[in-house]
């Protein structure tokens, strides 16, 4: 299949003007896929000096010469100019092509075609040039269609990642945006092979056909970034380079906003961490891809962490930079990502051993919350998973993410242990049905139906009592009331609910109902 936007030698031979000449390929059949840049007719012996390469040369053979040495030199000179093909019309000079010309074309790999019937060369050149113009217009139209899709994606809030994914789908190859110093900002492309694997293997190799376009910066000669298309799944066609040029111009406008590169890099890391959490990435490939993203954790365990910010709109670039700056003081390697659709920031941190978890978790949570405060964001929910290796890090991130969804409504803490939220997570997963609401109504209905002032006093009392496992002295101290006041409140609660609060099963039921109420309310 011919690439879009290219008129090959084979295609030119199928056009009516040349087809009427009964073309016969005498040599270089393997090169019929060569692109034709232009069509030219000439008879001068030294015509090669007038050509630039890529031409389909039409001749009657007058310039080939009479002697084999001249014929070989003529063909060799055209091959060295890298023309697309030599087409010789028989009759005026030769009845058959000289063996010296055919053998030389074959050894040079130059397509050599003889025409058995006379054709008007002007009709051939006009037809080929019309085809070239039409193809160029089709190329521009396809590139313009991609440009329109990318523009719509930006207007719809898709951002740079969506634009890069559109370009990757258009070219059929992985696409990368890198900083001027070579740091990877974002990678887009198909899952097999993953773009991070491609980048790790080919970023230094600079494969032939690589498309590389600068993304302009504010000043002349100072690119803001580079857009790279690597020809992994197929060769790059001319339309791909045009599309990359237009995409780079769009990206330049987006990246003029302050700190966009850091947010973009964080979104790329967030995609990697999400792929790991959702089992779209082989854990065996994860360490190498993490190194591409700058994360080198060492031999110890990994610590999955999730920060969720409630109802945050915009400002992710500033938040990402603030959090990243705060994390530098933690003193451990950290891979921080951003997931805009879910409004959360996943990260992996490196531990020396499992015993470091509490101290490192506290430092990470303090840094994350400090970054949120710097940009005046609402207090985030920080959930810390269990120590993991690469094989279990994805499950740890997934557990932390789900627990972060279940945590709102709980008493505010610097950070939550994901394992301690398992009951809340289970209840959160049951929230869609009516059973959980019915359970809360059965267990707490009489208390919830009471007047607002009494409810505001009795519900917190019951909650603290259950959290202290029914120990009344500790409950009274936690509520800052004397024991008699506590006894009175507990008596009222027991009377309203018709339950024995000293019974362990009753306390379990009421504890679950209070936790479920945060989910269903």
């Amino acid at each position: 299949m011919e690439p879009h936007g290219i008129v090959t030698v084979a295609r030119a031979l199928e056009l009516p003007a040349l087809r009427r000449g009964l073309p016969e390929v005498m040599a270089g059949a393997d090169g019929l896929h060569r692109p034709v840049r232009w069509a030219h007719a000439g008879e001068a012996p030294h015509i090669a000096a007038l050509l630039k390469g890529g031409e389909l040369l039409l001749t009657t053979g007058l310039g080939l010469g009479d002697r084999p040495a001249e014929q070989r030199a003529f063909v060799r000179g055209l091959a060295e100019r890298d023309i697309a093909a030599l087409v010789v019309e028989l009759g005026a000079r030769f009845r058959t092509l000289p063996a010296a010309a055919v053998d030389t074309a074959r050894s040079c790999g130059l397509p050599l075609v003889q025409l058995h019937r006379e054709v008007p060369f002007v009709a051939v050149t006009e037809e080929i040039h019309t085809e070239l113009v039409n193809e160029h217009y089709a190329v521009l139209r396809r590139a313009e269609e991609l440009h329109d899709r990318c523009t719509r994606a930006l207007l719809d809030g898709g951002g740079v990642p969506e634009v890069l994914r559109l370009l990757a789908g258009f070219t059929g190859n992985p696409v990368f945006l890198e900083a001027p110093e070579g740091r990877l900002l974002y990678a887009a492309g198909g899952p097999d092979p993953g773009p991070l694997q491609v980048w790790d293997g080919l970023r230094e190799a600079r494969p032939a056909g690589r498309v590389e376009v600068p993304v302009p910066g504010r000043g002349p000669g100072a690119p803001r970034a580079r857009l790279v298309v690597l020809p992994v799944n197929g060769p790059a066609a001319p339309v791909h380079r045009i599309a990359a040029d237009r995409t780079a111009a769009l990206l330049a406008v987006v990246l003029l906003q302050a700190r966009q590169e850091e947010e973009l890099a964080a979104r790329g890391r967030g995609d990697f961490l999400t792929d790991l959490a959702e089992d779209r990435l082989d854990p065996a490939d994860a360490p190498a891809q993490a190194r591409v993203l700058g994360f080198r954790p060492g031999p110890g365990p990994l610590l999955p962490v999730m920060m969720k910010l409630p109802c945050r709109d915009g400002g992710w670039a500033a938040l990402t930079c603030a959090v990243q700056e705060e994390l530098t003081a933690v003193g451990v390697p950290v891979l921080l990502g951003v997931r805009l659709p879910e409004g959360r920031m996943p990260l992996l941190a490196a531990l020396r051993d499992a015993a470091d978890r509490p101290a490192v978790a506290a430092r990470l949570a303090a840094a994350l919350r400090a970054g949120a405060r710097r940009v005046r964001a609402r207090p985030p929910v920080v959930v810390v998973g269990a120590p993991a290796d690469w094989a279990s890090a994805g499950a740890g991130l997934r557990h932390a993410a789900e627990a972060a969804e279940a945590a709102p409504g709980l008493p505010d803490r610097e950070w939550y242990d994901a394992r301690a939220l398992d009951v809340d997570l289970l209840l959160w997963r049951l929230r869609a049905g009516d059973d959980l609401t019915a359970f809360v109504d059965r267990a707490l209905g009489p208390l919830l139906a009471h007047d607002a002032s009494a409810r505001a006093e009795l519900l917190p009392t019951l909650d603290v009592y259950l959290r202290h496992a029914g120990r009344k002295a500790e409950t009274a101290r936690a509520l800052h009331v004397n024991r008699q006041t506590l006894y009175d409140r507990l008596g009222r609660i027991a009377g309203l609910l018709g339950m024995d609060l000293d019974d362990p099963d009753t306390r379990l039921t009421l504890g679950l109902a209070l936790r479920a109420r945060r989910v269903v309310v």
Side-chain angles (χ1 to χ4, degrees), residues 457-468:
E457 179 182 78
L458 299 181
L459 278 174
T461 299
L462 177 60
D463 185 41
V464 174
Y465 174 72
L466 296 174
R467 288 183 178 277
H468 286 83

Side-chain angles (χ1 to χ4, degrees), residues 456-491:
E457 179 182 78
L458 299 181
L459 278 174
T461 299
L462 177 60
D463 185 41
V464 174
Y465 174 72
L466 296 174
R467 288 183 178 277
H468 286 83
R471 294 186 291 271
K472 296 182 177 64
E474 295 179 16
T475 302
R477 284 195 295 272
L479 290 170
H480 306 291
V481 299
N482 59 53
R483 296 186 66 172
Q484 188 56 52
T485 299
L486 175 63
Y487 294 156
D488 291 343
R489 291 183 185 177
L490 293 177

Side-chain angles (χ1 to χ4, degrees), residues 30-331:
D30 291 342
L32 295 181
H33 64 280
R34 290 184 175 189
V36 175
R37 185 183 61 82
W38 203 243
H40 186 73
E43 304 293 348
H46 302 293
I47 194 170
L50 304 177
L51 304 178
K52 296 180 178 180
E55 294 91 351
L56 185 143
L57 178 62
L58 300 160
T59 180
T60 62
L62 294 176
L64 264 75
D66 297 322
R67 294 179 297 173
E70 294 173 335
Q71 295 162 0
R72 283 192 289 269
F74 182 85
V75 174
R76 191 178 299 112
L78 295 175
E80 289 173 353
R81 279 290 181 177
D82 199 27
I83 70 167
L86 173 62
V87 179
V88 182
E89 183 185 84
L90 301 178
R93 179 70 175 81
F94 299 107
R95 289 187 177 278
T96 60
L97 284 177
V102 175
D103 292 342
T104 304
R106 186 177 294 118
S107 65
C108 294
L110 174 66
L112 176 61
V113 181
Q114 63 182 14
L115 300 179
H116 291 277
R117 292 175 58 186
E118 181 179 330
V119 297
F121 284 176
V122 65
V124 174
T125 57
E126 181 180 350
E127 201 166 66
I128 291 177
H129 295 164
T130 299
E131 192 74 8
L132 287 169
V133 170
N134 289 340
E135 280 299 317
H136 185 64
Y137 176 73
V139 163
L140 293 177
R141 187 171 63 246
R142 292 186 66 226
E144 187 63 30
E145 288 171 356
L146 176 67
H147 184 270
D148 290 344
R149 291 173 62 197
C150 291
T151 302
R152 286 196 301 271
L154 289 175
L155 293 175
D156 291 341
V160 173
E162 180 60 24
V163 170
L164 295 178
R165 282 192 285 270
L166 286 171
L167 180 60
F170 182 78
T171 63
N173 283 308
V175 172
F176 308 90
L177 190 68
E178 64 174 9
E181 74 278 6
R183 178 171 60 98
L184 179 63
L185 296 176
Y186 200 86
D192 189 20
L196 292 180
Q197 288 177 282
V198 172
W199 186 255
D200 191 37
L202 295 181
R203 60 179 168 172
E204 303 296 338
R206 303 188 68 83
R210 163 189 177 118
V211 175
E212 185 173 315
V213 179
V215 177
R218 292 184 183 274
R224 190 70 180 258
R226 280 189 297 270
L227 184 61
V228 180
V229 182
L230 293 181
V232 175
N233 302 317
V239 66
H240 298 157
R241 180 169 291 278
I242 295 172
D245 284 334
R246 296 196 172 192
T247 302
L250 274 179
L251 296 179
V253 176
V254 178
L255 294 178
L256 282 176
Q257 302 177 51
R259 296 176 171 176
Q260 285 297 308
E261 290 94 332
E262 184 54 44
E263 179 195 329
L264 186 59
R267 291 177 70 172
R269 297 190 295 267
D271 290 347
F272 163 76
L273 292 171
T274 301
D275 286 345
L276 183 64
E278 296 181 359
D279 295 328
R280 292 194 295 265
L281 173 64
D282 187 342
D285 297 328
Q289 296 189 28
R291 285 195 296 272
V292 172
L293 297 172
F295 183 53
R296 294 170 175 80
L302 304 170
L303 187 63
V305 179
M306 190 68 59
M307 179 172 80
K308 182 171 178 61
L309 287 95
C311 304
R312 179 168 181 81
D313 296 320
W316 282 99
L319 174 65
T320 300
C321 288
V323 168
Q324 193 74 60
E325 290 169 5
E326 294 290 340
L327 287 172
T328 58
V330 174

